[in-house]
Amino acid sequence: MRDIAFGQYYPAKSVLHRLDPRVKILSLTAFLVLVFCTSNFYSLALVATTVLAIVLMSSVPLRLYFKSLKMILFIVLITSLLNLFYGTGDPIYQFWIFKVTLSGIYNAIFVTVRIICLILVSSALTFTTSPTDLTDALERLMKPLTIFKIKVHEIAMMMTIALRFVPLLLEETDKIMSAQKARGADMESGNLIARVKALIPVLIPLFVSAFRRAYELAVAMECRCYQGGQGRTRMKQLRLGARDYVSMGVILLVICGVVLCNVLLPSVR
Amino acid sequence: MSSIKVENLCCTYGAKTPFERHAVKDVSFEIQKGDFVGLIGHTGSGKSTLVSMLNGLIKPSSGKVYVDSVDIWQKPKEIRKFRFKVGLVFQYPEYQLFEETVEKDIAFGPSNMGLSEEEINKRVLNAAKFVGLTDEMLKKSPFDLSGGEKRRAAIAGVIAMDPDVLILDEPTAGLDPVGRNVLLSQISQYQKARNNTVILVSHSMEDVARVCNKVMVMNKGEMFMFDKTQEIFARADELNSIGLRVPQITRVTDRLREMGLDLPKGILTVDKAVLEITELLKKEGRL
């Protein structure tokens, strides 16, 4: 239950950990777009190298990155296979209805590298940023939306609470499952219907306790005079430092690099 | 005959991450049938992990658990068998209640064992009697009971499986003094009536001193001591050294003895202390 690697904060003291979370979120967004803007091998290689550099700089064990890659291995395989066989042009190799073309191979490589880059760079964000920092930064970034009467603070608070409750509810599920297993509940065998039925003794207590916790939290927040974001000050102020400006500069350079590669160098594919 | 034997048991959480923690380190012991063992130690000393390994809910990182001389992990597919033999009541067991009526909830364990309707009914009524639930309560929804009653209903749910070993993880936590006393004497009566093995995990030295004949002390995942209750609480200095204490009344009588009164060592309950002191006063002709 607790082995969910994807998106779990990994405490360490790297440059990436200390970076302003707003910068990290914006850079991630830029990267996600950038990955799909690569039109030839040069720009793809540039993006991939940057992603690798980010991963290496995060001082998070590579084992964890592999773990999150493992979860999407299947998707990568399927999409690259599909791309491999759906290329256009002269076939290099052919059997039965399948034909492999040069453009197919290029496409497959592109798709694979792109997906891997996406996963790696977004894992790097969640590994190096604690959930509270993340929602804090989101609240700040979404602030302009208040003009459209969107309750940014409330949304951010809901996200914080939801994120906070995920591990709590997982732990609770673990506990209740253990308690029912101790009474001989069998959750590992049987057909689908039997397994769904076996979940009832877990789900009912879980719901009851989720409601109880929500109620208790509401009371606790009210006891501390919580009344939304109006006039609320923060203990941790987000301020941009030298390191943040440097990293923004680096990201800008990479963006320029990708654009230049796309425009100036011949597209190999 | 030993009912539970444990050899070099270890359990490590989150191996190879910064969260790595050795919850239980190289613990070995043997508990005889009919023993009432108190398990004490600080929060995080590995008590709960240890008891979860005894009925196979957690698989030990290394080491062996024997129930009735059988290695419980010999056939991992049949681990459920040992969960019926070693009944474990978790902390705050009232959070596991889910059925429409208390009766049905208590029957959950026995019906998982595949018993006949008749046998299940018999066991539910028996278990309810042991924990002092009335017939009227059995028909209620478990969510309509008071905190103490819910606790007792949940304990009955494990007792109804008629386990050879009953483990209770802090059964009296969060109950008022009267509730504690009642529950504790019910457990004690249950143990005497069936001559079962019972393990009581507790933070209260008074509770342990009152009902247990043996005490196991855990400290930082290791077994610190395991002996008869009297022997353990006679070693007050060692207990103090790891931040635990002896029951209040033992401290008082120990002090009185230091001050020159002729009291025996290892007085564990108030009743016993009253008895010894009146005896002493009578002997000296002051009463």
Side-chain angles (χ1 to χ4, degrees):
Chain A
M1 258 300 167
R2 286 175 208 170
D3 288 349
I4 299 171
F6 184 71
Q8 215 168 54
Y9 177 53
Y10 182 96
K13 282 203 178 82
S14 74
V15 193
L16 282 186
H17 282 82
R18 278 172 295 176
L19 224 52
D20 189 299
R22 287 173 297 174
V23 175
K24 281 193 269 190
I25 291 178
L26 287 181
S27 318
L28 174 72
T29 327
F31 253 96
L32 296 187
V33 177
L34 209 56
V35 166
F36 287 99
C37 288
T38 51
S39 64
N40 59 19
F41 275 118
Y42 303 106
S43 49
L44 188 68
L46 180 61
V47 171
T49 335
T50 325
V51 169
L52 276 184
I54 290 173
V55 165
L56 290 177
M57 261 167 36
S58 65
S59 42
V60 174
L62 292 178
R63 196 168 42 80
L64 287 180
Y65 284 106
F66 282 123
K67 240 183 178 175
S68 37
L69 278 181
K70 224 164 66 186
M71 301 207 307
I72 53 121
L73 191 69
F74 192 62
I75 303 174
V76 173
L77 273 179
I78 297 268
T79 42
S80 54
L81 273 180
L82 279 179
N83 272 292
L84 192 60
F85 295 123
Y86 278 91
T88 48
D90 299 326
I92 315 173
Y93 179 74
Q94 196 163 11
F95 70 93
W96 195 34
I97 54 164
F98 299 111
K99 56 177 186 210
V100 179
T101 65
L102 202 59
S103 82
I105 294 176
Y106 287 156
N107 275 338
I109 294 175
F110 254 80
V111 162
T112 313
V113 174
R114 274 176 177 165
I115 298 181
I116 289 177
C117 280
L118 285 183
I119 295 298
L120 284 183
V121 81
S122 28
S123 305
L125 174 77
T126 46
F127 282 149
T128 61
T129 321
S130 72
T132 21
D133 280 353
L134 215 56
T135 44
D136 246 17
L138 275 178
E139 185 179 346
R140 288 299 298 272
L141 288 173
M142 291 193 302
K143 210 155 208 176
L145 294 179
T146 35
I147 310 169
F148 305 113
K149 297 252 161 83
I150 292 174
K151 298 196 164 178
V152 172
H153 172 81
E154 276 72 10
I155 294 173
M157 182 54 88
M158 281 195 286
M159 276 170 60
T160 314
I161 293 172
L163 282 174
R164 175 69 193 82
F165 269 63
V166 168
L168 220 63
L169 286 179
L170 279 179
E171 200 180 306
E172 189 100 7
T173 317
D174 235 27
K175 261 191 204 160
I176 297 171
M177 267 179 143
S178 300
Q180 306 299 25
K181 273 190 199 159
R183 293 205 281 166
D186 186 6
M187 295 177 204
E188 279 104 34
S189 57
N191 57 17
L192 192 67
I193 298 170
R195 280 187 195 213
V196 171
K197 262 193 176 160
L199 280 180
I200 294 174
V202 177
L203 288 181
I204 293 179
L206 191 64
F207 269 107
V208 171
S209 90
F211 279 112
R212 187 175 42 84
R213 277 181 195 282
Y215 176 75
E216 280 169 4
L217 182 71
V219 170
M221 283 168 87
E222 220 150 294
C223 285
R224 290 167 211 187
C225 302
Y226 176 80
Q227 47 182 351
Q230 208 106 71
R232 193 159 175 247
T233 54
R234 349 191 117 258
M235 188 166 85
K236 266 200 240 162
Q237 297 277 2
L238 293 175
R239 271 200 202 92
L240 294 179
R243 121 170 34 91
D244 299 308
Y245 289 113
V246 170
S247 59
M248 281 193 278
V250 173
I251 298 290
L252 274 180
L253 277 180
V254 175
I255 293 174
C256 294
V258 168
V259 172
L260 285 179
C261 285
N262 280 346
V263 177
L264 295 180
L265 294 166
S267 78
V268 189
R269 52 196 302 210
Chain B
M1 184 190 152
S2 77
S3 65
I4 281 195
K5 195 169 123 191
V6 156
E7 274 174 5
N8 308 100
L9 211 57
C10 294
C11 181
T12 312
Y13 284 129
K16 289 184 213 155
T17 67
F19 307 107
E20 181 175 278
R21 205 161 54 83
H22 299 281
V24 172
K25 277 182 273 186
D26 197 22
V27 169
S28 306
F29 60 80
E30 202 171 318
I31 292 173
Q32 308 297 329
K33 188 178 178 323
D35 269 346
F36 198 143
V37 181
L39 180 54
I40 58 178
H42 281 293
T43 315
S45 60
K47 295 169 294 182
S48 296
T49 310
L50 179 64
V51 294
S52 298
M53 286 193 283
L54 295 184
N55 78 338
L57 275 176
I58 296 180
K59 196 172 182 183
S61 315
S62 64
K64 291 258 190 289
V65 179
Y66 299 94
V67 173
D68 291 337
S69 313
V70 183
D71 177 3
I72 66 169
W73 286 104
Q74 207 170 38
K75 290 180 194 148
K77 288 239 160 96
E78 290 175 23
I79 194 70
R80 236 154 58 93
K81 205 171 72 190
F82 293 99
R83 302 211 176 122
F84 298 126
K85 272 195 169 178
V86 182
L88 173 56
V89 182
F90 277 92
Q91 253 172 54
Y92 299 104
E94 52 270 33
Y95 294 151
Q96 69 182 37
L97 301 172
F98 69 99
E99 278 283 11
E100 293 153 52
T101 65
V102 175
E103 194 174 16
K104 279 190 189 166
D105 205 284
I106 299 177
F108 181 65
S111 48
N112 280 331
M113 297 169 82
L115 299 171
S116 68
E117 192 106 345
E118 223 176 315
E119 178 69 18
I120 293 174
N121 269 332
K122 206 178 92 198
R123 287 190 176 198
V124 168
L125 291 179
N126 260 333
K129 211 169 75 190
F130 264 124
V131 298
L133 290 174
T134 60
D135 287 352
E136 186 197 348
M137 288 179 199
L138 285 181
K139 301 283 177 239
K140 279 192 185 173
S141 155
F143 300 104
D144 288 339
L145 298 182
S146 75
E149 287 162 357
K150 272 189 202 166
R151 178 81 49 100
R152 282 187 272 158
I155 293 174
V158 174
I159 288 181
M161 302 191 307
D162 198 11
D164 295 338
V165 181
L166 178 67
I167 306 176
L168 299 132
D169 195 348
E170 290 191 51
T172 57
L175 293 185
D176 61 50
V178 178
R180 290 176 88 100
N181 265 333
V182 171
L183 185 58
L184 217 55
S185 33
Q186 273 159 351
I187 295 168
S188 182
Q189 273 164 25
Y190 161 85
Q191 193 266 344
K192 283 200 187 91
R194 301 213 186 171
N195 194 27
N196 268 8
T197 311
V198 176
I199 301 175
L200 176 76
V201 180
S202 182
H203 272 128
S204 160
M205 303 300 152
E206 281 74 22
D207 288 0
V208 168
R210 208 179 104 191
V211 294
C212 300
N213 67 333
K214 282 189 180 171
V215 176
M216 190 183 303
V217 186
M218 294 282 291
N219 185 39
K220 290 179 184 158
E222 287 171 50
M223 195 164 81
F224 190 68
M225 317 177 188
F226 181 36
D227 208 337
K228 293 208 177 73
T229 311
Q230 298 237 327
E231 308 293 324
I232 294 284
F233 287 131
R235 293 155 77 180
D237 292 339
E238 283 168 74
L239 282 174
N240 284 335
S241 74
I242 59 164
L244 292 173
R245 50 175 191 84
V246 297
Q248 272 180 343
I249 191 65
T250 313
R251 252 186 302 170
V252 171
T253 50
D254 280 354
R255 279 282 291 170
L256 285 173
R257 197 175 48 251
E258 274 170 36
M259 287 161 69
L261 283 181
D262 185 25
L263 287 169
K265 263 196 140 189
I267 293 176
L268 300 177
T269 59
V270 177
D271 292 345
K272 174 91 168 138
V274 169
L275 206 78
E276 290 289 344
I277 290 171
T278 39
E279 193 88 338
L280 191 74
L281 290 176
K282 268 185 197 156
K283 216 160 48 186
E284 291 179 0
R286 285 202 266 172
L287 202 77

